Amino acid sequence: MTTIKLDPGAALLLDALHGAGHAAYAVGGCVRDSLLGLDPHDWDLCTSARPEQVMALFGEEKCIPTGLQHGTVTVKQGGRLYETTTFRTEGAYSDGRHPDAVCFVPDVREDLARRDFTINAMAYSAEEGLIDPFGGRDDLAAHLVRAVGEPERRFEEDALRILRLYRFAARFGFAIDPATGAAARALGPHLDCVSAERIQEDLLKLLAPPRPGSYLDPAVLAVVLPELEPEKQPERFAELCRTIDRIEPTAENVPARLAALLCPLGEAGARKALRKLKCSNALTDEVTALEREAGGGAESFLLGHESGHSIARPIACGNRVPPQRTVLGETPGTPNTTLTVQAKRLLGRYELPTIQRLTALCSARHPEQAEAFAALRAEAERLTAENACCRVSQLAVNGRDLMAAGVRPGPGLRQVLNALLEAVITGQTPNEKDALLAAAAQFSAS
């Protein structure tokens, strides 16, 4: 008999349910992950007990009635939360997302039959072992994602399962059952009934695994992001997927991968697409900044260039370095062309996490320059650790100091502060109060 090491809190709850005469199992992702040798993030339980019986057994102080109409009670145990759901079958899905009605049933196998994929349709208890009526364990061994029963029916019930198919396959590096994949592509248009927020959530999860490029199906992306025209321009889309796969698979780099996917749309088009997906303002701003910089257009700070452009005397630009444009490793018209100056200029414009994503994105799009981008990232990290001066706010003097030294208030004051910052960044003046005040006197006199 297959044995799974149950989470202690889940085991206590299952024992209590069994002791009260109810059937109860760990179910779904926790069983799948345990069989894969992974540590489950959450432990979901299913039981023959009705919601009111679950609440009576564990007490209202430990129970959260999160979805009573669907049979779900969240039970607090040992500092963790455990979703506990009554065995159920489901009626029609008129909206393509939610069942019109649910019917509580006594048999766990009926409950498993309503689930999306075989690898998620397994249950386990210490007494009975693994309950696997649809061959989920065999599909795990075969590295295969397959729908439970008829794929078309599963996707017609809940169109979001189409994205979940590719997300699960990408997460584990599994193949997709041919019949399941064909049904997903054919029913892709049904995704138009899924909320933008849910599509965004699954799309971001799809972009997180090591190599998601091969799981970005053009037929499905054509529905989610029609602006990309993945089916009309297959070669361009294939290159986008290769670029995404070259970006290091970390949670922090998901915005960089999203920027890589949206590359053909440009900054304005990317912003429009992100708003359509109801992305947060923070994510939208981050992705569009990456798009702007990595695009190498006229507004790019990192990759743009203008022959002979001089940056000897910066102009007023708020609290950051003015947006002079440079080529990686080169600052035309300026004697200070070191990596340190380049990194300081970027840190004056962006926070370190953005620079880390930007260099990852640029390395993926320009692999022949990957070593140079890695060096730039490392230098930005070093400067940040040393709290190097890259912004006006980090200068050893402020506006009050300059006015006390005789600099007149107004636009000229900001120009002097920017000039001092430029002198510090390029190494002409140390970031020390006396030296800066002396330099300010020269700037004011000139």
Side-chain angles (χ1 to χ4, degrees), residues 128-153:
E128 296 181 55
L130 185 68
I131 309 297
D132 180 21
F134 303 104
R137 180 169 54 178
D138 289 342
D139 285 343
L140 284 179
H143 292 183
L144 186 71
V145 184
R146 179 167 58 91
V148 171
E150 299 176 9
E152 293 82 359
R153 182 175 179 183

Side-chain angles (χ1 to χ4, degrees), residues 410-441:
L413 180 64
R414 173 57 61 181
Q415 290 179 350
V416 171
L417 284 169
N418 281 329
L420 291 176
L421 177 61
E422 178 69 8
V424 169
I425 284 178
T426 57
Q428 299 172 33
T429 304
N431 189 26
E432 298 170 359
K433 186 172 183 178
D434 290 344
L436 291 172
L437 289 176

Side-chain angles (χ1 to χ4, degrees), residues 259-260 262-263 266-267 270 287-295 361 365:
L262 299 178
C263 164
E267 181 185 356
V287 172
T288 51
L290 296 175
E291 191 61 54
R292 176 174 63 251
E293 293 295 342
L361 175 59
R365 293 176 68 172

Side-chain angles (χ1 to χ4, degrees), residues 239 242-244 246-247 260 263 290-297 300 302-304 327-328 357-374:
E239 180 55 32
R242 287 191 289 270
T243 299
I244 290 169
R246 285 194 288 262
I247 297 174
C263 164
L290 296 175
E291 191 61 54
R292 176 174 63 251
E293 293 295 342
S300 172
L302 181 59
L303 294 176
V327 181
L328 183 65
R357 296 184 186 111
L358 177 58
T359 51
L361 175 59
C362 289
S363 294
R365 293 176 68 172
H366 307 279
E368 73 283 356
Q369 298 186 58
E371 185 176 342
F373 284 115

Side-chain angles (χ1 to χ4, degrees), residues 279-324:
C279 293
S280 68
N281 290 337
L283 178 59
T284 299
D285 290 344
E286 179 75 1
V287 172
T288 51
L290 296 175
E291 191 61 54
R292 176 174 63 251
E293 293 295 342
E299 297 302 317
S300 172
F301 178 85
L302 181 59
L303 294 176
H305 64 88
E306 183 174 304
S307 178
H309 180 66
S310 175
I311 54 175
R313 181 64 64 89
I315 60 173
C317 191
N319 190 42
R320 297 173 181 265
V321 177
Q324 297 96 8

Side-chain angles (χ1 to χ4, degrees), residues 180-443:
T180 302
R185 289 187 291 274
L187 296 173
H190 287 212
L191 281 164
D192 63 2
C193 68
V194 180
S195 72
E197 291 87 350
R198 296 304 301 273
I199 288 178
Q200 174 216 140
E201 180 182 352
D202 268 56
L203 178 61
L204 293 179
K205 289 180 179 178
L206 172 55
L207 290 172
R211 297 184 64 82
S214 59
Y215 298 96
L216 294 169
D217 191 284
V220 175
L221 262 293
V223 178
V224 175
L225 289 167
E227 306 94 326
L228 290 177
E229 300 183 328
E231 293 181 298
K232 294 181 180 178
Q233 302 193 52
E235 293 184 5
R236 185 186 72 176
F237 185 71
E239 180 55 32
L240 293 181
C241 293
R242 287 191 289 270
T243 299
I244 290 169
D245 285 347
R246 285 194 288 262
I247 297 174
E248 185 180 1
T250 65
E252 294 76 16
N253 274 344
V254 168
R257 286 182 156 186
L258 184 55
L261 178 64
L262 299 178
C263 164
L265 305 182
E267 181 185 356
R271 184 175 292 276
K272 183 177 180 181
L274 293 166
R275 285 177 174 168
K276 186 183 70 174
L277 290 173
K278 302 294 181 67
C279 293
S280 68
N281 290 337
L283 178 59
T284 299
D285 290 344
E286 179 75 1
V287 172
T288 51
L290 296 175
E291 191 61 54
R292 176 174 63 251
E293 293 295 342
E299 297 302 317
S300 172
F301 178 85
L302 181 59
L303 294 176
H305 64 88
E306 183 174 304
S307 178
H309 180 66
S310 175
I311 54 175
R313 181 64 64 89
I315 60 173
C317 191
N319 190 42
R320 297 173 181 265
V321 177
Q324 297 96 8
R325 293 175 288 165
T326 65
V327 181
L328 183 65
E330 177 185 350
T331 307
T334 303
N336 300 283
T337 60
T338 66
L339 188 68
T340 298
V341 171
Q342 177 99 27
K344 284 184 176 181
R345 296 200 190 287
L346 278 172
L347 285 167
R349 190 175 177 92
Y350 300 109
E351 300 295 337
L352 179 62
T354 297
I355 296 173
Q356 292 169 326
R357 296 184 186 111
L358 177 58
T359 51
L361 175 59
C362 289
S363 294
R365 293 176 68 172
H366 307 279
E368 73 283 356
Q369 298 186 58
E371 185 176 342
F373 284 115
L376 181 61
R377 169 178 174 160
E379 184 66 3
E381 291 170 342
R382 182 187 70 81
L383 292 168
T384 299
E386 295 178 359
N387 197 30
C389 179
C390 303
R391 301 182 181 184
V392 165
S393 61
Q394 294 174 302
L395 288 171
V397 296
N398 56 34
R400 291 187 299 273
D401 297 323
L402 296 185
M403 287 188 289
V407 179
R408 292 182 179 181
L413 180 64
R414 173 57 61 181
Q415 290 179 350
V416 171
L417 284 169
N418 281 329
L420 291 176
L421 177 61
E422 178 69 8
V424 169
I425 284 178
T426 57
Q428 299 172 33
T429 304
N431 189 26
E432 298 170 359
K433 186 172 183 178
D434 290 344
L436 291 172
L437 289 176
Q442 293 181 350
F443 288 137

Side-chain angles (χ1 to χ4, degrees), residues 2 25 31 35 108-109 112 117-124 128-141 146 148:
T2 300
Y25 306 86
V31 177
L35 292 174
V108 67
R109 289 165 180 78
L112 296 176
F117 308 113
T118 62
I119 60 174
N120 298 331
M122 295 179 284
Y124 177 84
E128 296 181 55
L130 185 68
I131 309 297
D132 180 21
F134 303 104
R137 180 169 54 178
D138 289 342
D139 285 343
L140 284 179
R146 179 167 58 91
V148 171

